[in-house]
Amino acid sequence: MQLAYVSQPFGYDVPTLDGILRDARRFNERDGITGALVCRHDVYLQMLEGPADKVDETYMRIEQDDRHANMTRILRRDASERLFGDWAMLHDPARSWIWSQADLEAGVLDRATPAEIVDVFETLARRVSDGGTV
């Protein structure tokens, strides 16, 4: 199963982000979850992949995490394969980002379709698998 959500960072700085990534990788390895986190100072966009019960538990845990604000699930779907099977949590520091801050402020993620969100993550997965930088 794949689940994607968007949230706003609360208290965004390097130590906070490092803590999120460290926690995510530890819990995800334990629970058989993979995924990717696209982030910058004003937004987190994350995809989680794995067994449905474990992904749902992870999402609920993240909802309780005070390092995230205004969390919104964008998609939840069955998937035949993982996009990020080799990554407990791939970190993309928004180098692959396709929306500007103005786009975000104008609500582009509120209007994005699940297909558009999947396309963002599929593009990121292709870049990583092709050996490119993210």
Side-chain angles (χ1 to χ4, degrees):
M1 198 256 293
Q2 293 174 326
L3 185 148
Y5 73 87
V6 63
S7 68
Q8 293 175 325
F10 183 79
Y12 183 87
D13 57 21
V14 172
T16 298
L17 179 58
D18 287 347
I20 288 172
L21 291 168
R22 185 177 47 254
D23 291 347
R25 289 174 180 142
R26 185 179 71 240
F27 289 125
N28 290 356
E29 285 177 10
R30 179 195 70 194
D31 295 338
I33 293 174
T34 57
L37 174 63
V38 178
C39 60
R40 63 185 199 200
H41 74 282
D42 57 346
V43 69
Y44 291 140
L45 178 65
Q46 183 169 17
M47 177 175 278
L48 303 169
E49 309 172 299
D53 61 332
K54 296 296 185 183
V55 169
D56 287 335
E57 288 172 16
T58 299
Y59 180 74
M60 288 187 290
R61 186 175 60 246
I62 295 168
E63 279 185 309
Q64 302 304 311
D65 188 328
D66 63 3
R67 297 172 293 189
H68 297 264
N70 302 320
M71 200 164 148
T72 303
R73 187 174 73 190
I74 299 173
L75 100 103
R76 184 183 187 277
R77 69 179 191 159
D78 291 328
S80 59
E81 62 185 76
R82 295 176 189 231
L83 291 174
F84 304 99
D86 294 334
W87 294 90
M89 185 50 56
L90 173 69
H91 168 225
D92 176 12
R95 291 187 194 119
S96 66
W97 202 254
I98 60 171
W99 297 300
S100 69
Q101 186 169 358
D103 291 335
L104 291 174
E105 290 169 0
V108 68
L109 284 173
D110 296 331
R111 296 185 306 277
T113 67
E116 290 170 325
I117 297 302
V118 168
D119 186 56
V120 168
F121 286 107
E122 287 176 343
T123 299
L124 178 58
R126 275 192 306 277
R127 287 181 182 171
V128 171
S129 70
D130 290 343
T133 58
V134 290

